[in-house]
Amino acid sequence: MLTDYEKSCREQLEKLRDKKDIVILALESSCDETACAVTRGREVLSNVIASQIEIHKRYGGVVPEIASRNHVMAVSQITAQALQEAGIKKEEIDCVAVTYGAGLLGALLVGVSFAKAYAYALGKPLIAVNHIRGHIAANYIAKPDLEPPYICLIASGGHTAVVKVNALEDIELLGSTQDDACGEAFDKVARVLGLEYPGGPQIQKLAKEGKPSVHLPTPLKNSEGYDFSYSGLKTAVINYVHSKEQKGEEYSKADVACSFQEKAVEIMTDAAVRAAKDNKLGTVVIAGGVASNERLREVMKEKAEKYGLSVYYPPAKLCTDNAVMIASEAYNLIKSGSDAAEITLDASATVRITDVAPRKN
Ligand code: KG4
Ligand code: ZN
């Protein structure tokens, strides 16, 4: 039996399917950013991000319990700020969206609990969003006329994959990392070089002063699929650094950063281009925190030009975790006929890229 709230949400969602300018309030709290955004259609009205980087830096990485507590402290105020900056009243919100997974369970729970209560209090439908698909959806904000089919390379701190986007809701996994995610490898290599968390931006900065002079392996070089392995690459860098230090030999940290970044970028861009050629698709997009890497963008553009492909990516602020991407994926879900989340919605630490909605237990 549906409750009155559930019945009303269904009716509201049916009406929203034909509406272009849907007003969405979205929340994201899967890791160390508490984020809230308001969008109208694909237009960004506000994008508020409270980053906890400064807090976690001193531990060299994200401490889950500390992240959860800081989400609790930030979420109400961030939401009020997002509405204020958007110039939107609560009553004008058509629907609420929230990341339900993947991420740190305690951190996710803060966003999920808050969004459930918020949507229920407003009598508005709640849309549960898969964070990884949210990263892909950031591209529709940057390029509202982007249309499937296309290839997307997703590279974040938790995931690295190549997918074929057949339709807004139809995403096919072509290949993924067999071990570490690319962002994770950036962070671990940065740590061994004595750089601060998060490592990606630090490696990018240091790499500009170096040369790609350190020979590093290309894991899974001869495999036919689109899978990655970043653990082998990371270990090769760590072994190089340790061996130099043990022997008391001089080495250039900038050269190590540059060589690692070049190899990481080469592996990802090769896979994305190969996937586009094999699937006879002319468009490649990139997504996720690592997609803000300047060298990745540059090499992707060079290769796309060489093979006659179009390449798109969101601005850096929409590549790393934010709530605009969650709103954008919620918009896709509404347009492709998804149901509202149940009031019993729970957070999930792991999700598959192919999960359109939360899996039922
Ligand atoms: O997508 P994201 O913000 O969070 C996850 O969903 O994981 O990605 C965070 C990851 C971190 O590993 C961070 O080091 C990496 O993205 N990252 C970068 C850059 N900016 C962030 N990696 C390389 N170059 C960057 N400029
Ligand atoms: Zn992310």
Side-chain angles (χ1 to χ4, degrees):
M1 257 282 277
L2 292 180
T3 62
D4 288 347
Y5 169 64
E6 286 165 337
K7 257 190 253 159
S8 157
C9 287
R10 273 199 185 175
E11 285 163 18
Q12 290 181 58
L13 269 184
E14 284 317 313
K15 284 194 196 134
L16 289 179
R17 312 245 189 247
D18 301 322
K19 187 176 173 191
K20 195 161 173 275
D21 298 333
I22 308 173
V23 176
I24 301 176
L25 175 117
L27 287 139
E28 151 66 38
S29 68
S30 65
C31 190
D32 58 348
E33 264 96 26
T34 323
C36 184
V38 181
T39 56
R40 183 188 283 127
R42 301 291 193 192
E43 185 195 352
V44 180
L45 301 184
S46 64
N47 179 16
V48 182
I49 304 169
S51 172
Q52 301 177 14
I53 286 179
E54 288 306 318
I55 299 168
H56 298 283
K57 234 179 206 174
R58 70 187 84 136
Y59 306 104
V62 179
V63 184
E65 206 34 58
I66 295 178
S68 313
R69 274 185 247 153
N70 281 282
H71 285 309
V72 171
M73 288 194 278
V75 69
S76 311
Q77 195 230 317
I78 293 301
T79 306
Q81 192 181 335
L83 280 171
Q84 195 205 10
E85 286 183 16
I88 288 281
K89 294 196 201 70
K90 281 194 206 111
E91 307 74 58
E92 294 173 77
I93 298 169
D94 288 315
C95 108
V96 178
V98 68
T99 306
Y100 74 89
L104 304 169
L105 205 52
L108 286 164
L109 270 172
V110 178
V112 167
S113 313
F114 185 88
K116 281 203 290 192
Y118 208 83
Y120 188 77
L122 289 178
K124 299 289 176 185
L126 174 67
I127 302 287
V129 173
N130 174 335
H131 180 89
I132 320 167
R133 294 169 78 104
H135 274 302
I136 302 173
N139 280 286
Y140 297 105
I141 300 286
K143 188 172 167 48
D145 59 351
L146 174 68
E147 273 188 32
Y150 58 85
I151 293 295
C152 180
L153 166 72
I154 305 146
S156 71
H159 298 87
T160 306
V162 175
V163 299
K164 184 172 164 229
V165 180
N166 296 314
L168 283 184
E169 78 294 0
D170 178 8
I171 297 179
E172 198 182 321
L173 181 65
L174 300 181
S176 60
T177 182
Q178 301 299 294
D179 37 59
D180 289 1
C182 182
E184 196 180 347
F186 265 91
D187 293 338
K188 288 179 180 167
V189 166
R191 193 191 264 231
V192 86
L193 292 177
L195 304 171
E196 280 186 332
Y197 173 84
Q202 304 289 334
I203 297 261
Q204 172 178 300
K205 198 163 149 219
L206 187 59
K208 286 187 182 144
E209 294 161 27
K211 300 179 296 302
S213 56
V214 181
H215 175 77
L216 295 170
T218 308
L220 303 181
K221 191 176 180 181
N222 299 318
S223 86
E224 302 227 320
Y226 309 96
D227 285 341
F228 307 95
S229 164
Y230 274 100
S231 168
L233 181 59
K234 170 202 71 186
T235 307
V237 175
I238 293 174
N239 288 345
Y240 174 86
V241 170
H242 285 170
S243 144
K244 287 286 178 193
E245 284 174 357
Q246 270 160 13
K247 290 182 201 154
E249 289 174 10
E250 294 264 313
Y251 71 98
S252 155
K253 288 189 177 180
D255 285 358
V256 174
C258 180
S259 307
F260 166 73
Q261 180 174 265
E262 284 304 305
K263 187 56 81 177
V265 164
E266 175 197 309
I267 295 168
M268 282 187 284
T269 49
D270 278 353
V273 167
R274 201 152 44 81
K277 285 199 291 179
D278 293 352
N279 288 280
K280 300 190 173 39
L281 292 174
T283 304
V284 174
V285 311
I286 55 178
V290 185
S292 59
N293 184 276
E294 289 165 14
R295 188 65 188 139
L296 171 62
R297 290 160 176 251
E298 196 175 72
V299 173
M300 199 67 241
K301 267 201 283 193
E302 281 167 16
K303 289 189 183 166
E305 210 162 288
K306 185 168 166 203
Y307 294 103
L309 305 167
S310 304
V311 59
Y312 304 106
Y313 39 77
K317 204 178 174 190
L318 297 184
C319 287
T320 43
D321 289 349
N322 65 87
V324 169
M325 67 184 208
I326 303 306
S328 185
E329 175 60 4
Y331 184 87
N332 291 349
L333 291 168
I334 296 170
K335 292 293 166 189
S336 45
S338 287
D339 287 335
E342 290 173 13
I343 201 69
T344 52
L345 172 70
D346 208 350
S348 307
T350 54
V351 297
R352 290 185 284 242
I353 278 181
T354 46
D355 289 341
V356 181
R359 264 175 275 156
K360 300 247 190 283
N361 289 325

PDB file of all heavy atoms in Angstrom, residues 90-117:
ATOM      1  N   LYS A  90      12.052  27.534  -0.736  1.00  0.00           N
ATOM      2  CA  LYS A  90      11.859  26.075  -0.571  1.00  0.00           C
ATOM      3  C   LYS A  90      10.683  25.569  -1.399  1.00  0.00           C
ATOM      4  O   LYS A  90      10.750  24.510  -2.008  1.00  0.00           O
ATOM      5  CB  LYS A  90      11.577  25.761   0.894  1.00  0.00           C
ATOM      6  CG  LYS A  90      12.789  25.733   1.773  1.00  0.00           C
ATOM      7  CD  LYS A  90      12.386  25.076   3.089  1.00  0.00           C
ATOM      8  CE  LYS A  90      13.249  25.538   4.222  1.00  0.00           C
ATOM      9  NZ  LYS A  90      12.660  26.371   5.219  1.00  0.00           N
ATOM     10  N   GLU A  91       9.608  26.358  -1.433  1.00  0.00           N
ATOM     11  CA  GLU A  91       8.375  25.925  -2.128  1.00  0.00           C
ATOM     12  C   GLU A  91       8.587  25.799  -3.641  1.00  0.00           C
ATOM     13  O   GLU A  91       7.801  25.159  -4.334  1.00  0.00           O
ATOM     14  CB  GLU A  91       7.219  26.924  -1.892  1.00  0.00           C
ATOM     15  CG  GLU A  91       6.908  27.250  -0.442  1.00  0.00           C
ATOM     16  CD  GLU A  91       7.948  28.168   0.199  1.00  0.00           C
ATOM     17  OE1 GLU A  91       8.160  29.280  -0.314  1.00  0.00           O
ATOM     18  OE2 GLU A  91       8.565  27.760   1.210  1.00  0.00           O
ATOM     19  N   GLU A  92       9.624  26.452  -4.168  1.00  0.00           N
ATOM     20  CA  GLU A  92       9.857  26.398  -5.620  1.00  0.00           C
ATOM     21  C   GLU A  92      10.625  25.144  -6.043  1.00  0.00           C
ATOM     22  O   GLU A  92      10.784  24.877  -7.221  1.00  0.00           O
ATOM     23  CB  GLU A  92      10.640  27.640  -6.067  1.00  0.00           C
ATOM     24  CG  GLU A  92       9.870  28.937  -5.922  1.00  0.00           C
ATOM     25  CD  GLU A  92      10.761  30.139  -6.225  1.00  0.00           C
ATOM     26  OE1 GLU A  92      11.016  30.408  -7.412  1.00  0.00           O
ATOM     27  OE2 GLU A  92      11.231  30.780  -5.263  1.00  0.00           O
ATOM     28  N   ILE A  93      11.120  24.386  -5.073  1.00  0.00           N
ATOM     29  CA  ILE A  93      11.877  23.163  -5.403  1.00  0.00           C
ATOM     30  C   ILE A  93      10.903  22.112  -5.931  1.00  0.00           C
ATOM     31  O   ILE A  93       9.869  21.853  -5.328  1.00  0.00           O
ATOM     32  CB  ILE A  93      12.579  22.607  -4.129  1.00  0.00           C
ATOM     33  CG1 ILE A  93      13.590  23.613  -3.588  1.00  0.00           C
ATOM     34  CG2 ILE A  93      13.247  21.268  -4.414  1.00  0.00           C
ATOM     35  CD1 ILE A  93      14.121  23.239  -2.205  1.00  0.00           C
ATOM     36  N   ASP A  94      11.231  21.517  -7.093  1.00  0.00           N
ATOM     37  CA  ASP A  94      10.374  20.456  -7.649  1.00  0.00           C
ATOM     38  C   ASP A  94      10.737  19.097  -7.065  1.00  0.00           C
ATOM     39  O   ASP A  94       9.884  18.236  -6.924  1.00  0.00           O
ATOM     40  CB  ASP A  94      10.536  20.380  -9.177  1.00  0.00           C
ATOM     41  CG  ASP A  94       9.896  21.568  -9.870  1.00  0.00           C
ATOM     42  OD1 ASP A  94       8.765  21.908  -9.500  1.00  0.00           O
ATOM     43  OD2 ASP A  94      10.539  22.145 -10.774  1.00  0.00           O
ATOM     44  N   CYS A  95      12.029  18.916  -6.814  1.00  0.00           N
ATOM     45  CA  CYS A  95      12.424  17.623  -6.244  1.00  0.00           C
ATOM     46  C   CYS A  95      13.781  17.714  -5.565  1.00  0.00           C
ATOM     47  O   CYS A  95      14.566  18.623  -5.833  1.00  0.00           O
ATOM     48  CB  CYS A  95      12.343  16.555  -7.322  1.00  0.00           C
ATOM     49  SG  CYS A  95      13.850  15.947  -7.920  1.00  0.00           S
ATOM     50  N   VAL A  96      14.044  16.790  -4.657  1.00  0.00           N
ATOM     51  CA  VAL A  96      15.305  16.751  -3.909  1.00  0.00           C
ATOM     52  C   VAL A  96      16.089  15.552  -4.435  1.00  0.00           C
ATOM     53  O   VAL A  96      15.498  14.505  -4.734  1.00  0.00           O
ATOM     54  CB  VAL A  96      15.034  16.609  -2.389  1.00  0.00           C
ATOM     55  CG1 VAL A  96      16.327  16.524  -1.595  1.00  0.00           C
ATOM     56  CG2 VAL A  96      14.181  17.767  -1.886  1.00  0.00           C
ATOM     57  N   ALA A  97      17.419  15.699  -4.575  1.00  0.00           N
ATOM     58  CA  ALA A  97      18.257  14.584  -5.031  1.00  0.00           C
ATOM     59  C   ALA A  97      19.387  14.378  -4.039  1.00  0.00           C
ATOM     60  O   ALA A  97      19.837  15.335  -3.405  1.00  0.00           O
ATOM     61  CB  ALA A  97      18.830  14.896  -6.410  1.00  0.00           C
ATOM     62  N   VAL A  98      19.843  13.137  -3.922  1.00  0.00           N
ATOM     63  CA  VAL A  98      20.935  12.868  -2.984  1.00  0.00           C
ATOM     64  C   VAL A  98      21.776  11.683  -3.463  1.00  0.00           C
ATOM     65  O   VAL A  98      21.254  10.745  -4.057  1.00  0.00           O
ATOM     66  CB  VAL A  98      20.393  12.603  -1.553  1.00  0.00           C
ATOM     67  CG1 VAL A  98      19.614  11.301  -1.450  1.00  0.00           C
ATOM     68  CG2 VAL A  98      21.523  12.590  -0.529  1.00  0.00           C
ATOM     69  N   THR A  99      23.067  11.748  -3.185  1.00  0.00           N
ATOM     70  CA  THR A  99      23.962  10.613  -3.451  1.00  0.00           C
ATOM     71  C   THR A  99      23.678   9.515  -2.424  1.00  0.00           C
ATOM     72  O   THR A  99      23.774   9.772  -1.221  1.00  0.00           O
ATOM     73  CB  THR A  99      25.435  11.033  -3.262  1.00  0.00           C
ATOM     74  OG1 THR A  99      25.689  12.166  -4.072  1.00  0.00           O
ATOM     75  CG2 THR A  99      26.390   9.904  -3.599  1.00  0.00           C
ATOM     76  N   TYR A 100      23.330   8.305  -2.898  1.00  0.00           N
ATOM     77  CA  TYR A 100      23.101   7.205  -1.930  1.00  0.00           C
ATOM     78  C   TYR A 100      24.308   6.265  -1.876  1.00  0.00           C
ATOM     79  O   TYR A 100      24.412   5.434  -0.978  1.00  0.00           O
ATOM     80  CB  TYR A 100      21.821   6.423  -2.287  1.00  0.00           C
ATOM     81  CG  TYR A 100      21.961   5.516  -3.480  1.00  0.00           C
ATOM     82  CD1 TYR A 100      22.393   4.202  -3.344  1.00  0.00           C
ATOM     83  CD2 TYR A 100      21.703   5.989  -4.761  1.00  0.00           C
ATOM     84  CE1 TYR A 100      22.551   3.380  -4.450  1.00  0.00           C
ATOM     85  CE2 TYR A 100      21.867   5.180  -5.866  1.00  0.00           C
ATOM     86  CZ  TYR A 100      22.287   3.868  -5.703  1.00  0.00           C
ATOM     87  OH  TYR A 100      22.463   3.064  -6.797  1.00  0.00           O
ATOM     88  N   GLY A 101      25.220   6.342  -2.822  1.00  0.00           N
ATOM     89  CA  GLY A 101      26.428   5.508  -2.880  1.00  0.00           C
ATOM     90  C   GLY A 101      27.147   5.843  -4.168  1.00  0.00           C
ATOM     91  O   GLY A 101      26.578   6.553  -5.006  1.00  0.00           O
ATOM     92  N   ALA A 102      28.351   5.470  -4.373  1.00  0.00           N
ATOM     93  CA  ALA A 102      29.258   4.807  -3.480  1.00  0.00           C
ATOM     94  C   ALA A 102      30.002   5.837  -2.627  1.00  0.00           C
ATOM     95  O   ALA A 102      30.054   6.997  -2.989  1.00  0.00           O
ATOM     96  CB  ALA A 102      30.270   4.034  -4.311  1.00  0.00           C
ATOM     97  N   GLY A 103      30.577   5.359  -1.526  1.00  0.00           N
ATOM     98  CA  GLY A 103      31.349   6.277  -0.711  1.00  0.00           C
ATOM     99  C   GLY A 103      31.511   5.734   0.688  1.00  0.00           C
ATOM    100  O   GLY A 103      31.314   4.545   0.949  1.00  0.00           O
ATOM    101  N   LEU A 104      31.832   6.624   1.617  1.00  0.00           N
ATOM    102  CA  LEU A 104      31.991   6.239   3.020  1.00  0.00           C
ATOM    103  C   LEU A 104      30.600   6.156   3.629  1.00  0.00           C
ATOM    104  O   LEU A 104      29.819   7.120   3.535  1.00  0.00           O
ATOM    105  CB  LEU A 104      32.822   7.289   3.759  1.00  0.00           C
ATOM    106  CG  LEU A 104      34.205   7.576   3.151  1.00  0.00           C
ATOM    107  CD1 LEU A 104      34.820   8.819   3.802  1.00  0.00           C
ATOM    108  CD2 LEU A 104      35.112   6.366   3.346  1.00  0.00           C
ATOM    109  N   LEU A 105      30.286   5.028   4.221  1.00  0.00           N
ATOM    110  CA  LEU A 105      28.920   4.783   4.688  1.00  0.00           C
ATOM    111  C   LEU A 105      28.400   5.872   5.635  1.00  0.00           C
ATOM    112  O   LEU A 105      27.309   6.421   5.435  1.00  0.00           O
ATOM    113  CB  LEU A 105      28.856   3.403   5.344  1.00  0.00           C
ATOM    114  CG  LEU A 105      27.490   2.756   5.351  1.00  0.00           C
ATOM    115  CD1 LEU A 105      26.867   2.714   3.982  1.00  0.00           C
ATOM    116  CD2 LEU A 105      27.592   1.356   5.926  1.00  0.00           C
ATOM    117  N   GLY A 106      29.188   6.197   6.647  1.00  0.00           N
ATOM    118  CA  GLY A 106      28.752   7.191   7.629  1.00  0.00           C
ATOM    119  C   GLY A 106      28.558   8.555   6.986  1.00  0.00           C
ATOM    120  O   GLY A 106      27.615   9.296   7.313  1.00  0.00           O
ATOM    121  N   ALA A 107      29.440   8.889   6.059  1.00  0.00           N
ATOM    122  CA  ALA A 107      29.361  10.177   5.364  1.00  0.00           C
ATOM    123  C   ALA A 107      28.105  10.220   4.484  1.00  0.00           C
ATOM    124  O   ALA A 107      27.341  11.198   4.508  1.00  0.00           O
ATOM    125  CB  ALA A 107      30.620  10.387   4.525  1.00  0.00           C
ATOM    126  N   LEU A 108      27.872   9.149   3.748  1.00  0.00           N
ATOM    127  CA  LEU A 108      26.693   9.074   2.881  1.00  0.00           C
ATOM    128  C   LEU A 108      25.403   9.194   3.682  1.00  0.00           C
ATOM    129  O   LEU A 108      24.449   9.848   3.268  1.00  0.00           O
ATOM    130  CB  LEU A 108      26.662   7.728   2.148  1.00  0.00           C
ATOM    131  CG  LEU A 108      27.658   7.541   1.002  1.00  0.00           C
ATOM    132  CD1 LEU A 108      27.778   6.058   0.663  1.00  0.00           C
ATOM    133  CD2 LEU A 108      27.225   8.324  -0.234  1.00  0.00           C
ATOM    134  N   LEU A 109      25.397   8.536   4.854  1.00  0.00           N
ATOM    135  CA  LEU A 109      24.188   8.516   5.685  1.00  0.00           C
ATOM    136  C   LEU A 109      23.727   9.905   6.101  1.00  0.00           C
ATOM    137  O   LEU A 109      22.532  10.146   6.240  1.00  0.00           O
ATOM    138  CB  LEU A 109      24.428   7.665   6.937  1.00  0.00           C
ATOM    139  CG  LEU A 109      24.078   6.194   6.801  1.00  0.00           C
ATOM    140  CD1 LEU A 109      24.531   5.428   8.036  1.00  0.00           C
ATOM    141  CD2 LEU A 109      22.579   6.014   6.592  1.00  0.00           C
ATOM    142  N   VAL A 110      24.677  10.811   6.273  1.00  0.00           N
ATOM    143  CA  VAL A 110      24.313  12.172   6.663  1.00  0.00           C
ATOM    144  C   VAL A 110      23.479  12.818   5.555  1.00  0.00           C
ATOM    145  O   VAL A 110      22.392  13.351   5.799  1.00  0.00           O
ATOM    146  CB  VAL A 110      25.574  13.029   6.964  1.00  0.00           C
ATOM    147  CG1 VAL A 110      25.179  14.462   7.318  1.00  0.00           C
ATOM    148  CG2 VAL A 110      26.394  12.397   8.081  1.00  0.00           C
ATOM    149  N   GLY A 111      23.979  12.738   4.324  1.00  0.00           N
ATOM    150  CA  GLY A 111      23.249  13.315   3.195  1.00  0.00           C
ATOM    151  C   GLY A 111      21.913  12.632   2.979  1.00  0.00           C
ATOM    152  O   GLY A 111      20.878  13.290   2.782  1.00  0.00           O
ATOM    153  N   VAL A 112      21.915  11.294   3.046  1.00  0.00           N
ATOM    154  CA  VAL A 112      20.689  10.527   2.789  1.00  0.00           C
ATOM    155  C   VAL A 112      19.624  10.856   3.842  1.00  0.00           C
ATOM    156  O   VAL A 112      18.468  11.129   3.510  1.00  0.00           O
ATOM    157  CB  VAL A 112      20.995   9.003   2.745  1.00  0.00           C
ATOM    158  CG1 VAL A 112      19.715   8.181   2.788  1.00  0.00           C
ATOM    159  CG2 VAL A 112      21.791   8.660   1.485  1.00  0.00           C
ATOM    160  N   SER A 113      20.009  10.876   5.121  1.00  0.00           N
ATOM    161  CA  SER A 113      19.035  11.150   6.182  1.00  0.00           C
ATOM    162  C   SER A 113      18.490  12.566   6.052  1.00  0.00           C
ATOM    163  O   SER A 113      17.283  12.794   6.157  1.00  0.00           O
ATOM    164  CB  SER A 113      19.671  11.009   7.571  1.00  0.00           C
ATOM    165  OG  SER A 113      20.415   9.827   7.628  1.00  0.00           O
ATOM    166  N   PHE A 114      19.392  13.501   5.804  1.00  0.00           N
ATOM    167  CA  PHE A 114      18.974  14.902   5.681  1.00  0.00           C
ATOM    168  C   PHE A 114      18.027  15.068   4.491  1.00  0.00           C
ATOM    169  O   PHE A 114      16.964  15.685   4.603  1.00  0.00           O
ATOM    170  CB  PHE A 114      20.212  15.796   5.510  1.00  0.00           C
ATOM    171  CG  PHE A 114      19.894  17.262   5.502  1.00  0.00           C
ATOM    172  CD1 PHE A 114      19.845  17.989   6.689  1.00  0.00           C
ATOM    173  CD2 PHE A 114      19.624  17.923   4.310  1.00  0.00           C
ATOM    174  CE1 PHE A 114      19.536  19.348   6.679  1.00  0.00           C
ATOM    175  CE2 PHE A 114      19.304  19.277   4.297  1.00  0.00           C
ATOM    176  CZ  PHE A 114      19.268  19.999   5.490  1.00  0.00           C
ATOM    177  N   ALA A 115      18.397  14.483   3.352  1.00  0.00           N
ATOM    178  CA  ALA A 115      17.589  14.646   2.128  1.00  0.00           C
ATOM    179  C   ALA A 115      16.228  13.986   2.269  1.00  0.00           C
ATOM    180  O   ALA A 115      15.216  14.520   1.800  1.00  0.00           O
ATOM    181  CB  ALA A 115      18.346  14.067   0.933  1.00  0.00           C
ATOM    182  N   LYS A 116      16.188  12.837   2.929  1.00  0.00           N
ATOM    183  CA  LYS A 116      14.900  12.153   3.126  1.00  0.00           C
ATOM    184  C   LYS A 116      13.969  13.038   3.953  1.00  0.00           C
ATOM    185  O   LYS A 116      12.797  13.229   3.607  1.00  0.00           O
ATOM    186  CB  LYS A 116      15.108  10.807   3.863  1.00  0.00           C
ATOM    187  CG  LYS A 116      15.596   9.706   2.943  1.00  0.00           C
ATOM    188  CD  LYS A 116      15.268   8.330   3.473  1.00  0.00           C
ATOM    189  CE  LYS A 116      16.063   7.943   4.693  1.00  0.00           C
ATOM    190  NZ  LYS A 116      15.927   6.512   5.013  1.00  0.00           N
ATOM    191  N   ALA A 117      14.506  13.576   5.046  1.00  0.00           N
ATOM    192  CA  ALA A 117      13.691  14.420   5.928  1.00  0.00           C
ATOM    193  C   ALA A 117      13.252  15.689   5.193  1.00  0.00           C
ATOM    194  O   ALA A 117      12.109  16.114   5.294  1.00  0.00           O
ATOM    195  CB  ALA A 117      14.498  14.772   7.175  1.00  0.00           C
TER     196      ALA A 117
END
